[in-house]
Amino acid sequence: MAAHRRPVFAANWKMNHGPTQAKTFLSEFLVRYAARDDRTVILFPPSITLAAAREGVRARRDIALGVQNVHTADKGAFTGELSAALAADAGAAFVLVGHSERRHVFGETDAQAAQKCARVVEHGLTPVLCVGELLEQRERGETEAVVLQQLRMGISMLAPTAARRMLVAYEPVWAIGTGRTATPDDAATVHRVIRDALAEQVGVEALDIPLLYGGSVTAANAATLLEADEVDGLLVGGASLDAAGWATICST
Ligand code: PEP
């Protein structure tokens, strides 16, 4: 990790922790994790929990909130959906775009990820674009090609000035929720590819874009992963659901 990039610790709660559980979680987490200005902590609760989470972190300006997905449209007849405009109004600052579960469970395409990044930026929010290969793609030696395609398409509708403000998360699909983690060397290799591709698109400011690793991160492996070159932060699913464990990870 480069010294000038502040580490980012992002919790993806997926479809876990409703408002009541979030309240309990935050009362425990905030006691265990004191504010620090040398890192960024972001929580991505389910959108129905956002208001409760916002209330829970009201006294903690060091903790930001985000949503896990948005629609490509700003508003309209899209029952069950959520737009970047609504997320901004509800107090989100970040949006996960193109998470592997969106891509592989809900069939989201690179083109949709691009539109979502554009909507997110239009509404003053920061996209966290998730990219990563499937196991069979990795085994066929396609990791770099898959990641570059998702990355280049994902940022294709953003002006360089906007792309410079985003975050990118490399999440190999075979590592998500499986207990299998990429080695620090593997993560560093792919992060270097991402950094170089970003530099081609946005110039030298690509050096300031935080690149997060995600995939079965735990309190036990967080430090080793963060030591890898080009790994500026962690996007954590399962291990972020436990307040004590998440506090430990955020204190890495
Ligand atoms: C995720 O969903 O973004 C994730 C990385 O999950 P997990 O940490 O559970 O592998």
Side-chain angles (χ1 to χ4, degrees):
M1 183 169 59
H4 71 283
R5 293 190 291 266
R6 292 192 331 167
V8 177
F9 296 86
N12 176 12
W13 287 357
K14 312 193 188 196
M15 200 168 69
N16 298 287
H17 288 349
T20 311
Q21 283 169 300
K23 205 171 154 205
T24 309
F25 174 100
L26 287 171
S27 56
E28 193 182 337
F29 171 66
L30 297 180
V31 169
R32 291 171 185 262
Y33 176 74
R36 302 174 56 148
D37 59 10
D38 64 345
R39 59 199 57 210
T40 302
V41 173
I42 312 169
L43 304 178
F44 292 92
S47 48
I48 204 161
T49 303
L50 192 65
R54 192 178 177 193
E55 180 60 26
V57 300
R58 199 148 49 102
R60 290 288 297 268
R61 295 194 167 272
D62 60 307
I63 297 177
L65 297 173
V67 294
Q68 300 168 13
N69 180 41
V70 291
H71 194 270
T72 52
D74 274 344
K75 62 178 179 176
F78 299 105
T79 301
E81 289 291 323
L82 169 71
S83 70
L86 298 181
D89 187 26
F94 293 85
V95 180
L96 293 181
V97 177
H99 186 276
S100 72
E101 286 145 22
R102 299 303 317 171
R103 293 177 189 272
H104 300 297
V105 181
F106 298 101
E108 190 168 307
T109 63
D110 285 333
Q112 286 171 314
Q115 289 173 324
K116 290 179 183 196
C117 280
R119 289 291 92 73
V120 167
V121 165
E122 266 168 38
H123 291 283
L125 306 178
T126 301
V128 181
L129 177 66
C130 303
V131 298
E133 81 286 5
L134 295 163
L135 183 59
E136 54 267 35
Q137 293 169 326
R138 180 181 187 80
E139 286 171 347
R140 289 197 298 263
E142 296 170 2
T143 298
E144 188 171 321
V146 169
V147 165
L148 285 177
Q149 154 86 8
Q150 292 175 344
L151 179 73
R152 289 185 176 133
M153 277 293 288
I155 66 174
S156 60
M157 294 175 69
L158 299 183
T161 43
R164 286 178 193 127
R165 290 185 35 241
M166 70 188 299
L167 281 66
V168 177
Y170 168 54
E171 298 206 300
V173 182
W174 48 269
I176 296 184
T178 59
R180 280 184 72 185
T181 313
T183 65
D185 280 353
D186 282 344
T189 302
V190 179
H191 282 218
R192 166 53 59 197
V193 166
I194 293 172
R195 179 86 60 207
D196 290 347
L198 286 169
E200 276 169 26
Q201 308 281 322
V202 309
V204 71
E205 285 92 341
L207 286 173
D208 298 328
I209 297 177
L211 304 186
L212 280 49
Y213 167 80
S216 296
V217 173
T218 63
N221 61 26
T224 319
L225 285 160
L226 275 175
E227 274 165 20
D229 274 352
E230 302 294 344
V231 175
D232 306 313
L234 303 169
L235 177 54
V236 185
S240 72
L241 293 174
D242 170 64
W246 179 235
T248 305
I249 292 174
C250 291
S251 307
T252 306

